[in-house]
């Protein structure tokens, strides 16, 4: 009965509380501010722009863990793709995301009587499976890709839901060190605030084992919004001795009402073809959102992610 009483007002309340976790980033991608939609720096290519998988002949497999204190968010993701075997690339990624958005019944639903001794929490577990294909033509100068996504959403106080959507993209390398690309995510509408339709043009400079510089514009088409959200991701990675990767970036969310700086480090062990990575996102500027009172304030500003990749 409690679930039924809460369902309608919670649907209205929670549909407007999307945060910056609209799309997650692996450690290398996070360190570069998420500006990697046209660079397959890690397995994030599977869910950001499938066409990027085919840009270079390589095999990447990896796993990562992210934590964000504001939503008690835990993300575990594992993925891989192969564009080394042929011009036809295939990739997949599986993600489990558990989190508890801020929810205070006595504040958000002040008309509803609650037991003060009862710990009512909006706990969510989302499972996400992406499978992607891409094909490279004209000596990998032009690459096209398509990915399919199934999301299973499980809630403690709402009805569970499963939906399906598609992504697509293209990348073009006019010269060996410059890539221009475009991707569209969730072009089958999901009616889910955290999975809007995204249009993302971008470009990047890639000098292998020396320097990467990238910028992506992300335009989000959201239900009920007449003006699209336009956000920017920029990032850079410098590599020392083909082993140490130093990363920095910036990105915005929700029309620059939320802005973040990012940094990260990577260490490549060449003999094992293994790269260890760490990334941090820090929210800057005033926070006009509720923060957790039971945790240090910095926990509401900082997201950490750590992981590893095998590349060859």
């Amino acid at each position: 009965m409690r679930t039924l009483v809460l369902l309608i007002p919670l649907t209205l309340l929670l549909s407007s509380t999307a945060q910056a976790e609209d799309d997650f980033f692996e450690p290398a991608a996070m360190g570069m501010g998420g500006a990697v939609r046209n660079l397959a720096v890690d397995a994030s290519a599977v869910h950001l722009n499938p066409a990027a998988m085919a840009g270079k002949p390589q095999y990447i497999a990896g796993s990562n863990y992210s934590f964000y204190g504001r939503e008690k968010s835990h993300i575990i993701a594992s993925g891989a793709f192969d564009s080394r075997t042929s011009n036809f690339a295939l990739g997949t990624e599986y993600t489990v995301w558990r989190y508890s958005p801020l929810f205070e019944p006595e504040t958000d639903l002040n008309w509803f009587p609650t037991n003060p001794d009862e710990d009512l929490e909006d706990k969510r577990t989302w499972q996400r499976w992406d499978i992607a294909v891409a094909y490279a033509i004209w000596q990998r100068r032009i690459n096209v890709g398509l990915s399919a996504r199934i999301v299973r959403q499980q809630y403690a106080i709402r009805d569970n839901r499963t939906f399906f959507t598609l992504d697509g993209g293209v990348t073009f390398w006019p010269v060996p060190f410059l890539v221009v690309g475009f991707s569209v995510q969730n072009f089958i509408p999901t009616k889910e605030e955290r999975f809007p339709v995204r249009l993302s043009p971008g470009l990047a400079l890639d000098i292998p084992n020396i320097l990467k510089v990238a910028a992506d514009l992300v335009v989000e088409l959201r239900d009920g919004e007449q003006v699209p959200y336009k956000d920017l991701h920029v990032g850079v990675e410098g590599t020392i001795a083909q082993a140490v990767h130093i990363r920095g970036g910036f990105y915005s969310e929700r029309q620059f009402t939320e802005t973040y700086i990012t940094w990260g480090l990577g260490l490549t062990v060449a003999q094992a073809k293994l790269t260890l990575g760490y990334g941090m996102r820090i929210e800057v500027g005033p926070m006009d959102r509720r923060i957790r009172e039971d945790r240090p304030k910095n926990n509401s500003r900082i997201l950490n992610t750590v992981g590893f990749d095998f590349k060859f």
Side-chain angles (χ1 to χ4, degrees), residues 1-309:
M1 177 63 69
R2 181 185 65 191
T3 299
L4 294 175
V5 173
L6 285 173
L7 180 59
I8 295 176
L10 278 174
T11 300
L12 297 175
L13 168 70
L14 299 176
S15 64
S16 62
T17 57
Q19 307 301 333
E21 288 65 55
D22 292 347
D23 214 348
F24 69 91
F25 301 109
E26 282 77 355
M30 175 63 75
M32 295 181 63
V36 295
R37 285 172 171 82
N38 303 300
L39 292 173
V41 298
D42 50 29
S44 62
V46 173
H47 67 90
L48 291 176
N49 183 354
M53 297 189 305
K56 296 179 180 180
Q58 59 183 338
Y59 176 81
I60 294 180
S63 185
N64 66 280
Y65 167 75
S66 300
F67 174 73
Y68 179 41
R70 182 179 184 273
E71 294 194 330
K72 298 182 181 179
S73 172
H74 304 267
I75 299 176
I76 299 176
S78 296
F81 71 84
D82 176 17
S83 61
R84 187 182 183 91
T85 303
S86 70
N87 285 0
F88 178 79
L90 178 65
T92 187
E93 186 167 38
Y94 178 72
T95 306
V96 177
W97 178 13
R98 294 183 177 178
Y99 70 108
S100 300
L102 279 167
F103 170 63
E104 299 176 2
E106 57 279 347
T107 300
D108 300 329
L109 303 171
N110 54 14
W111 55 268
F112 183 77
T114 61
N115 183 350
D117 297 326
E118 185 178 21
D119 183 19
L120 182 61
E121 192 171 10
D122 181 20
K123 296 180 180 180
R124 310 182 183 189
T125 299
W126 291 7
Q127 300 176 67
R128 166 175 170 168
W129 182 39
D130 297 87
I131 183 167
V133 295
Y135 190 72
I137 59 177
W138 196 21
Q139 298 179 338
R140 297 187 185 270
R141 291 188 180 183
I142 298 178
N143 311 283
V144 294
L146 180 71
S147 64
R149 175 177 304 116
I150 298 175
V151 178
R152 172 64 174 168
Q153 299 173 319
Q154 296 172 288
Y155 299 92
I157 56 177
R158 300 175 65 188
D159 290 338
N160 297 336
R161 182 182 177 222
T162 301
F163 64 83
F164 170 83
T165 188
L166 292 172
D167 303 341
V170 59
T171 61
F172 173 55
W173 294 78
V175 292
F177 55 84
L178 180 67
V179 57
V180 180
F182 178 81
S183 63
V184 54
Q185 291 178 288
N186 308 310
F187 62 79
I188 295 179
T190 66
K191 297 183 179 180
E192 167 56 54
E193 186 74 11
R194 299 201 182 205
F195 291 87
V197 178
R198 295 190 182 95
L199 309 177
S200 305
L203 73 164
L205 173 72
D206 184 6
I207 303 176
N209 298 317
I210 297 177
L211 179 67
K212 292 181 175 66
V213 182
D216 295 333
L217 176 66
V218 180
V219 180
E220 295 187 351
L221 308 177
R222 294 178 174 268
D223 291 340
E225 299 287 346
Q226 294 183 350
V227 179
Y229 290 168
K230 294 177 286 295
D231 296 310
L232 181 67
H233 295 247
V234 295
V236 60
E237 176 189 272
T239 300
I240 302 174
Q242 300 187 24
V244 179
H245 313 279
I246 302 173
R247 304 168 179 130
F250 164 89
Y251 76 90
S252 70
E253 287 283 348
R254 302 181 68 84
Q255 301 272 64
F256 288 87
T257 58
E258 299 171 17
T259 55
Y260 303 85
I261 58 173
T262 68
W263 69 276
L265 296 172
L267 177 63
T268 296
V269 182
Q271 295 85 346
K273 302 184 186 302
L274 172 68
T275 298
L276 305 175
Y278 171 77
M280 176 185 286
R281 187 199 71 192
I282 306 170
E283 185 168 357
V284 296
M287 293 184 65
D288 58 358
R289 298 172 292 146
R290 186 186 305 161
I291 62 175
R292 290 195 178 273
E293 300 296 337
D294 58 339
R295 294 175 178 267
K297 290 185 178 180
N298 285 342
N299 280 27
S300 292
R301 290 186 176 270
I302 295 176
L303 183 149
N304 296 282
T305 181
V306 62
F308 64 89
D309 296 293

